[in-house]
Amino acid sequence: MKLNWFTRKGIIYWPVSVIGWVLLIVAVAFAVYRFIAIDMLSHSVSDTLINFVFNLLLIGLVYTIIAWFTEAKPKTGTAES
Amino acid sequence: MKDKDEFLKQMENLKVPDVNPAEHQKTVKMAIMNAERSAVLGVWLIVIPCYFLLCVFMYYYFHVHINWFTAMFTLLASMDKTPGAAFWGPLILVVLPIICIIINALAIVHVQVNKLDVQQPKARERIITIKIKIWNILLILLSLAVVLVFINYVMVLNITVKN
């Protein structure tokens, strides 16, 4: 069964189904949660951003991996030669 | 009627051309994975190890001592100390680039096995084709460099510790 949850625009995967949108919202919500958690423990704005960048990259990686496996096929197929 | 019979005879005796697909140079060589998709995933797999390496080079080789780079080392050191999270460091810094190499290699490599002679079934020819896809090749080289840097670091660290 092919899962058509996302479509690719450049290097970013955009949701095209309800489940895709749910995953994007969950990823954004988790990123916000991690930002708040890091901000509570850090001493300055730069400290927060420094620690948040790594978490954001990890969240983006997990989101991309899920989207890669559930990408919708393009309507016009092109054969590689 | 006679002409028709002659025509039919001629058509029956026509020599059919023998096309050997193995000799045909232009074939559709389908790789296992799509090159563009592999490149996109490869970029995301390699961004975190490259970010870490950038912090290392800026801190140790260019002596830019700012909190941004120190925080990266502190984060990875804390991962090693946290029970249950010690595997994240090697996973991110070694396993992800290796996965990037594999998926990009599968996207540009095509292997074809041909039988050279019908009478000699053991005589085979293996043709390996590498497509020139710049982004995939760049990602493979970058991932290979990252993996070699970390393997080199681990080897040097072990030698230093033993001494």
Side-chain angles (χ1 to χ4, degrees):
Chain A
M1 185 179 71
K2 182 70 180 172
L3 303 169
N4 302 321
W5 293 350
F6 297 90
T7 184
R8 185 168 52 86
K9 294 190 186 300
I11 62 167
I12 305 293
Y13 281 96
W14 196 248
V16 290
S17 68
V18 174
I19 300 174
W21 279 106
V22 166
L23 284 170
L24 178 64
I25 290 166
V26 166
V28 170
F30 187 70
V32 170
Y33 164 74
R34 286 300 301 158
F35 183 85
I36 294 168
I38 291 165
D39 192 41
M40 283 171 68
L41 296 169
S42 56
H43 307 289
S44 63
V45 174
S46 62
D47 205 18
T48 306
L49 288 173
I50 287 163
N51 288 294
F52 179 63
V53 165
F54 182 71
N55 285 271
L56 190 64
L57 290 174
L58 271 178
I59 292 168
L61 174 64
V62 173
Y63 172 81
T64 303
I65 288 172
I66 295 171
W68 190 79
F69 282 108
T70 57
E71 184 184 351
K73 270 189 180 175
K75 287 180 182 175
T76 53
T78 54
E80 284 194 46
S81 58
Chain B
M1 193 68 182
K2 247 187 178 179
D3 290 337
K4 196 180 177 184
D5 288 337
E6 275 179 19
F7 176 73
L8 283 171
K9 240 185 182 177
Q10 272 183 355
M11 295 306 290
E12 280 170 13
N13 295 329
L14 264 179
K15 278 188 180 178
V16 178
D18 183 28
V19 178
N20 186 359
E23 293 173 352
H24 198 282
Q25 292 300 316
K26 287 186 182 178
T27 56
V28 177
K29 293 176 180 175
M30 301 290 289
I32 294 173
M33 299 180 84
N34 184 290
E36 276 186 32
R37 289 184 69 219
S38 298
V40 166
L41 186 60
V43 165
W44 280 96
L45 287 170
I46 206 66
V47 71
I48 296 174
C50 284
Y51 173 64
F52 177 73
L53 272 181
L54 176 72
C55 296
V56 168
F57 281 120
M58 292 299 282
Y59 190 86
Y60 287 105
Y61 288 92
F62 298 108
H63 304 290
V64 180
H65 296 284
I66 58 176
N67 286 339
W68 192 279
F69 305 128
T70 321
M72 188 67 188
F73 309 141
T74 314
L75 182 65
L76 280 170
S78 66
M79 276 168 138
D80 278 338
K81 288 174 189 173
T82 310
F87 67 93
W88 279 107
L91 179 75
I92 288 166
L93 301 174
V94 179
V95 175
L96 293 186
I98 289 174
I99 294 171
C100 179
I101 291 170
I102 292 169
I103 60 170
N104 281 282
L106 287 174
I108 63 171
V109 172
H110 178 267
V111 180
Q112 187 178 359
V113 180
N114 297 324
K115 288 182 183 177
L116 290 174
D117 193 0
V118 181
Q119 292 174 353
Q120 295 178 351
K122 288 186 181 178
R124 292 184 184 180
E125 180 185 55
R126 189 170 285 122
I127 302 168
I128 299 172
T129 307
I130 297 175
K131 297 179 191 175
I132 306 295
K133 301 273 183 180
I134 299 295
W135 286 110
N136 298 88
I137 292 171
L138 276 174
L139 282 168
I140 288 170
L141 293 174
L142 191 60
S143 303
L144 208 57
V146 169
V147 169
L148 289 175
V149 163
F150 285 117
I151 288 172
N152 185 40
Y153 167 76
V154 168
M155 284 171 63
V156 167
L157 191 68
N158 279 329
I159 292 168
T160 312
V161 167
K162 281 179 183 174
N163 286 339

